[in-house]
Amino acid sequence: MITIGLTGWSDHDTLQLSSKHKLADYAAHFPLVEVDTSFYAIPSPKTTANWASGTPDVFRFVVKAFQAMTTHKEWKDYYDSEVEMYRCYMDAIAPISESGKLKAILFQFPPFFNCTKENVNYLRHVKEQMGDLPIAIEFRNSSWYSDANQEKTLALLAELGFIHVVVDEPQIGTRSVPIVLRATNPDLTLVRLHGRNQYGWMKANSPEWREVRTLYRYNAEEISEWASYIKRLSEHSNEIVVIFNNNSGGDAADNAKALQKELEIKFDGLAPMQMDLFSEF
């Protein structure tokens, strides 16, 4: 099974989303979305309950872990204790999880989270905090995939039951990771496509980062290449979830549709498509 979605349900101009019902309109095109806003602030349970109730039964969410859960920030800056932070996050995702619509929680670690004993122990700590919830791990430091560490990294993810995130991103030394077509969870492998814009990727801390960081449009040859990669991965996991994050220029939706066509996938049970007022009846 292969599922395709985008990061966020706004700012996809080619999908012609209405201003009031963007998530519902998005759900007419794709059966899954990655929630990016939860990285910056933990949403309220009321908000996530609305997301769950406002989407079709087949719709699923990949929800990003809060930035202090992934060591981008310190939990002390937001909560009185780490326990409180995790409790708030658990409360937030509960409506999605209880509705059966939680596909995975994405722990996207920063480039400075390298392969050390301390950080290996932190991954074990994440497992203790999150229990049996489906956890996907994305690294941004190449040390995890060095010749000495790659097999140990993948074995650790498998031991903890974590989902390996296969990444396509610009290659800029130690602050990015290569494409590693390996599964660590028999149920699910997550693929995130960020584009290959090296210049934009290096602008992570600049004021215009949103406009340039993932400014990239995959061409037909690259889409075909990824289709073959995904077929290979599907031999080792029951489901492959593919998320296009190359949306600085609004390219993600078109690329996702192109991959869907390349793989000859039809998504059933989506929300009804909004009627074009100027189309023929």
Side-chain angles (χ1 to χ4, degrees):
M1 178 179 177
I2 299 169
T3 306
I4 302 172
L6 312 177
T7 298
W9 54 81
S10 302
D11 304 322
H12 303 297
D13 293 342
T14 59
L15 299 184
Q16 297 181 333
L17 308 179
S18 67
S19 59
K20 291 184 178 180
H21 306 289
K22 286 189 176 183
L23 178 55
D25 290 351
Y26 172 95
H29 295 271
F30 298 104
L32 176 140
V33 73
E34 178 190 292
V35 179
D36 182 60
T37 54
S38 54
F39 175 80
Y40 302 99
I42 297 177
S44 71
K46 180 179 179 180
T47 295
T48 58
N50 287 337
W51 295 343
S53 64
T55 48
D57 291 342
V58 301
F59 197 83
R60 298 293 182 265
F61 295 86
V62 171
V63 186
K64 268 193 174 181
F66 179 55
Q67 59 188 332
M69 296 163 62
T70 56
T71 76
H72 285 81
K73 302 287 186 180
E74 297 281 345
W75 58 258
K76 301 173 187 177
D77 296 334
Y78 302 94
Y79 295 95
D80 292 334
S81 69
E82 185 187 36
V83 171
E84 181 189 4
M85 174 183 69
Y86 274 98
R87 180 183 56 77
C88 287
Y89 189 86
M90 292 295 200
D91 289 346
I93 64 169
I96 298 175
S97 180
E98 291 168 2
S99 69
K101 293 187 174 184
L102 178 66
K103 182 62 68 176
I105 300 167
L106 171 62
F107 276 72
Q108 176 195 297
F109 289 99
F112 55 78
F113 189 85
N114 57 345
C115 187
T116 64
K117 183 65 175 178
E118 178 185 8
N119 289 337
V120 167
N121 287 336
Y122 186 75
L123 292 176
R124 296 186 183 279
H125 178 67
V126 167
K127 175 63 177 179
E128 292 173 358
Q129 299 301 314
M130 305 304 291
D132 293 331
L133 289 168
I135 305 300
I137 302 294
E138 177 176 348
F139 297 113
R140 290 282 176 89
N141 186 292
S142 63
S143 63
W144 295 94
Y145 299 104
S146 69
D147 291 342
N149 293 333
Q150 177 170 304
E151 294 306 318
K152 294 177 182 178
T153 294
L154 297 171
L156 175 65
L157 297 183
E159 173 197 334
L160 297 175
F162 287 161
I163 298 156
H164 182 222
V165 180
V166 179
V167 179
D168 188 36
E169 63 190 17
Q171 297 303 295
I172 53 171
T174 61
R175 296 175 65 84
S176 59
V177 299
I179 297 171
V180 178
L181 299 174
R182 298 282 294 278
T184 59
N185 186 300
D187 295 323
L188 180 65
T189 296
L190 185 59
V191 174
R192 298 186 76 225
L193 305 178
H194 302 294
R196 301 174 179 178
N197 181 350
Q198 290 191 3
Y199 171 80
W201 199 249
M202 295 172 66
K203 292 283 188 177
N205 297 317
S206 67
E208 75 274 21
W209 71 271
R210 288 187 182 277
E211 289 74 29
V212 299
R213 183 161 169 77
T214 59
L215 182 59
Y216 190 82
R217 189 177 186 89
Y218 288 92
N219 60 37
E221 182 179 351
E222 291 165 337
I223 292 293
S224 181
E225 175 187 46
W226 266 105
S228 66
Y229 289 165
I230 291 161
K231 290 176 182 177
R232 191 188 314 175
L233 284 168
S234 66
E235 297 175 2
H236 303 283
S237 282
N238 292 332
E239 182 177 5
I240 309 299
V241 166
V242 185
I243 295 172
F244 281 85
N245 186 43
N246 58 320
N247 203 46
S248 287
D251 296 307
D254 288 349
N255 277 165
K257 296 271 188 177
L259 179 64
Q260 181 183 355
K261 183 177 180 181
E262 180 78 17
L263 291 169
E264 299 181 333
I265 299 171
K266 182 180 183 298
F267 298 127
D268 296 318
L270 299 181
M273 194 75 71
Q274 292 295 318
M275 179 71 71
D276 184 344
L277 295 178
F278 296 96
S279 65
E280 294 183 6
F281 290 96

